[in-house]
Amino acid sequence: MRIGEIAALVGVTPRAVRHYHQSGLLPEPARRANGYREYGIRDAVLLARVRRLTELGLGLDEVRGVLADDEGRGLAEVLEELAEDLARQEEEIRARRERLSALLDEARAGRLPADGPLSPELTALLAGLGELPESAMAAKDRQILALMDVVVPEEERARLMGLMAGAAEHAREVYPLLDALSGADADDPRVAEAARVLAACLPDELGVDMPSGGPDGAGSSDTSLADALFADLAPAQSAAIHQAMRLVRERREQTR
């Protein structure tokens, strides 16, 4: 048989046969005098086995390992691992479909934010805020939350968003003070008052969990994240936030 004939017989493409040769899964057959490969029944049987194994979901390296074991002792172990992997994929797909279903319900009801999709935790937090006043700092705060929604590990996100929800109740009091610092220098006398009010809104736990890069935390492992969070703030706004976080940390230390 020529390569096209064995490929058609087994139900693969000639390109796949050549790829199996290059990968070492299928030995090169003898060649005719004209240079064409000549395949026999044993080649077809081996090629059919490769096809069956790949259709089960085995990678080429796994197929190679199975074929190398002439007695097939490794096949059961490989198939068990494949079954476990498929079970994990099914669970992940099920969770993703549940998440997608919830998002579809929100979208159809017109409640999906323009910057969605967001995690259920952040969606609930933003819903609790309701309609916010026109505020550049409120818009920035939303951007910061959306970024944290992505970069914070899933196992920590619910806890952190829960802490933020408690602080969000006082957001309307803080935003005007921070908005007023737009364009101001870090030594503006209004910084201390804004920091005091913001610190009073924040739970003690945020003094530990929030990144502390910038003037009060240069060199920390979270500096790059903090730089991204506060890059667009005016010096006075950034100073107020960092002072507030320091006040929260100090308050936490005093209550221990």
Side-chain angles (χ1 to χ4, degrees):
M1 288 181 288
R2 298 273 295 275
I3 189 169
E5 294 170 333
I6 190 175
L9 176 65
V10 176
V12 298
T13 64
R15 182 177 180 181
V17 177
R18 295 189 185 96
H19 182 58
Y20 295 152
H21 283 314
Q22 295 171 357
S23 302
L25 296 178
L26 192 65
E28 284 282 350
R31 291 181 180 265
R32 298 178 180 178
N34 58 10
Y36 289 120
R37 296 181 178 95
E38 177 65 23
Y39 295 92
I41 293 299
R42 295 188 64 180
D43 298 309
V45 171
L46 180 57
L47 180 59
R49 189 179 185 201
V50 171
R51 175 190 165 182
R52 288 195 300 270
L53 291 171
T54 56
E55 286 177 343
L56 284 172
L58 272 67
L60 296 186
D61 287 341
E62 293 171 318
V63 173
R64 186 179 296 106
V66 172
L67 296 179
D69 189 339
D70 294 336
E71 298 180 7
R73 290 190 299 271
L75 181 57
E77 181 179 348
V78 171
L79 293 179
E80 287 174 358
E81 293 177 356
L82 178 61
E84 293 172 358
D85 185 57
L86 289 175
R88 286 192 295 269
Q89 292 183 44
E90 288 177 349
E91 184 62 31
E92 292 172 0
I93 291 173
R94 186 179 301 107
R96 289 170 60 187
R97 291 192 64 181
E98 291 175 358
R99 172 75 178 123
L100 178 60
S101 177
L103 288 173
L104 281 173
D105 290 342
E106 293 293 312
R108 289 165 178 160
R111 295 190 299 267
L112 190 66
D115 50 359
L118 304 172
S119 70
E121 295 84 3
L122 180 54
T123 300
L125 173 59
L126 294 177
L129 289 176
E131 289 293 331
L132 292 175
E134 288 293 330
S135 165
M137 197 63 212
K140 178 65 177 178
D141 203 17
R142 188 183 181 99
Q143 293 175 354
I144 291 173
L145 289 172
L147 177 59
M148 294 180 65
D149 194 42
V150 175
V151 301
V152 172
E154 183 176 357
E155 59 272 15
E156 288 292 318
R157 188 169 56 216
R159 187 178 67 87
L160 183 57
M161 290 300 171
L163 294 175
M164 297 296 293
E169 298 176 2
H170 307 279
R172 288 173 174 77
E173 181 182 0
V174 177
Y175 288 145
L177 297 176
L178 293 175
D179 284 335
L181 295 176
S182 177
D185 294 329
D187 58 357
D188 190 288
R190 295 171 295 175
V191 168
E193 174 64 12
R196 183 190 65 78
V197 175
L198 177 57
C201 299
L202 299 177
D204 291 349
E205 291 83 353
L206 286 180
V208 174
D209 294 335
M210 290 290 287
S212 56
D216 296 327
S220 76
S221 60
D222 293 319
T223 298
S224 60
L225 175 56
D227 289 344
L229 295 179
F230 304 122
D232 299 333
L233 297 180
Q237 292 172 325
S238 180
I241 293 174
H242 287 298
Q243 284 188 30
M245 299 309 298
R246 186 176 66 246
L247 290 173
V248 173
R249 289 193 293 271
E250 291 174 353
R251 186 178 69 208
R252 180 185 175 90
E253 291 297 325
Q254 292 172 0
T255 56
R256 282 185 173 180

